[in-house]
Amino acid sequence: MTKDEKTKIYNLLKAASDNLCGYFSPDFAGDVPEFSDDPEISNEKSASSNQASSQPELASDSTLSHINKKISECKRCGLCAGRRNVVPGMGVPNPFVLVIGEGPGEEEDKQGKPFVGPAGQLLDKMLGAIGLSRDKNCYIANIVKCRPPMNRNPLPEEADACRPFLDAQIAALKPKAILCAGSVAVKNLFHTNDGVMKLHGQVLDFKGIPVVTTWHPSALLRAPENKRPAWEDLKVFKNVLLGIEPDYCK
Ligand code: URA
């Protein structure tokens, strides 16, 4: 039990006892005692603070290769235990657009590259339709850089542990615009509970960078009826890009 839990129980018992006695209860006279955490909790707390302090935040001017090295060494959350490879991201070093996905799947974990399975093929088509490609003008990254088991959504603590890497990637890559693929991406980028159903097609702002959200390609493979609204989102995004660089897709 934590010291806070013990203090709370003490205060509840004191209030109940005072009430029952109808006056100030002698059993609870004096100040509230100084409780301490049970030993196993103290150990857990110090283990997790050691883990965090052994992996300092990345400097805002870190290079991409330094960030990738830090990602490859990362043990900030439990996902490191199940990974075959980290998946930092791929694309050109000075991208026009940063695409943010969710996290690696099985094939990505095998190859150490993002979006290389069936969802990746659809993502490449979506990007190609608006003059973008990972070879030419995009960088593709994910909210978490290690595969969540059974392809589940990343847990909040996993996304939070990985966040310094995404922030450092954005600072190093300096994209002119960001495309969020799916709810996990937009929710975590903005720390909001609003997902793709609410935010798709809107032009949001992340530290001065315009952001458009659309459906994750895996979601489109499961529910192709959303391909039409996703295409509308991509047209919104293309207009944003044309406003930044009118010649970008020539
Ligand atoms: N889905 C994602 O969100 N990211 C990948 O890298 C692959 C599939």
Side-chain angles (χ1 to χ4, degrees):
M1 202 182 294
T2 66
K3 64 178 179 190
D4 292 346
E5 288 164 338
K6 290 178 192 174
T7 308
K8 207 168 172 183
I9 291 172
Y10 177 91
N11 285 330
L12 281 171
L13 288 173
K14 180 176 182 325
S17 178
D18 288 353
N19 256 324
L20 281 173
C21 295
Y23 59 93
F24 180 75
S25 161
D27 291 338
F28 289 93
D31 294 338
V32 179
E34 265 297 312
F35 292 109
S36 51
D37 291 335
D38 286 347
E40 67 274 15
I41 291 173
S42 309
N43 292 343
E44 270 169 30
K45 280 185 181 168
S46 70
S48 68
S49 75
N50 281 346
Q51 204 177 32
S53 65
S54 68
Q55 308 231 334
E57 304 271 309
L58 286 147
S60 59
D61 59 350
S62 296
T63 61
L64 210 52
S65 62
H66 178 69
I67 298 164
N68 289 350
K69 179 169 177 293
K70 287 286 186 188
I71 292 173
S72 70
E73 295 165 352
C74 179
K75 294 195 169 71
R76 294 174 69 101
C77 80
L79 294 183
C80 64
R83 74 184 175 214
R84 275 181 279 194
N85 288 292
V86 292
V87 182
M90 76 179 286
V92 297
N94 295 302
F96 187 30
V97 167
L98 171 66
V99 180
I100 303 179
E102 186 176 313
E106 185 175 14
E107 199 51 41
E108 290 77 18
D109 175 60
K110 265 191 214 157
Q111 296 190 30
K113 293 182 189 154
F115 282 101
V116 287
Q121 288 171 17
L122 178 55
L123 178 67
D124 286 338
K125 277 193 194 155
M126 292 162 71
L127 296 176
I130 53 168
L132 299 173
S133 101
R134 62 177 98 192
D135 305 322
K136 209 173 69 185
N137 49 13
C138 289
Y139 193 91
I140 302 179
N142 280 306
I143 292 293
V144 292
K145 318 301 187 197
C146 299
R147 182 189 180 199
M150 313 297 291
N151 297 343
R152 64 158 168 73
N153 285 355
L155 301 174
E157 57 269 31
E158 294 161 352
D160 288 349
C162 221
R163 183 56 189 260
F165 296 126
L166 182 63
D167 285 333
Q169 286 176 317
I170 294 171
L173 294 164
K174 300 184 178 53
K176 301 283 188 300
I178 294 176
L179 181 67
C180 281
S183 286
V184 168
V186 70
K187 283 182 174 182
N188 281 289
L189 184 66
F190 288 100
H191 292 120
T192 172
N193 289 325
D194 295 332
V196 69
M197 295 307 284
K198 174 141 187 217
L199 297 177
H200 76 94
Q202 294 185 27
V203 184
L204 306 173
D205 179 294
F206 181 77
K207 298 185 180 172
I209 306 170
V211 179
V212 171
T213 301
T214 193
W215 276 267
H216 190 287
S218 300
L220 293 176
L221 291 172
R222 286 193 304 271
E225 66 275 15
N226 287 326
K227 282 186 178 174
R228 185 175 292 271
W231 173 235
E232 296 303 319
D233 301 338
L234 291 175
K235 286 198 281 187
V236 170
F237 192 51
K238 183 177 179 184
N239 276 332
V240 170
L241 300 180
L242 287 171
I244 301 169
E245 274 188 31
D247 289 343
Y248 91 90
C249 57
K250 294 224 168 108

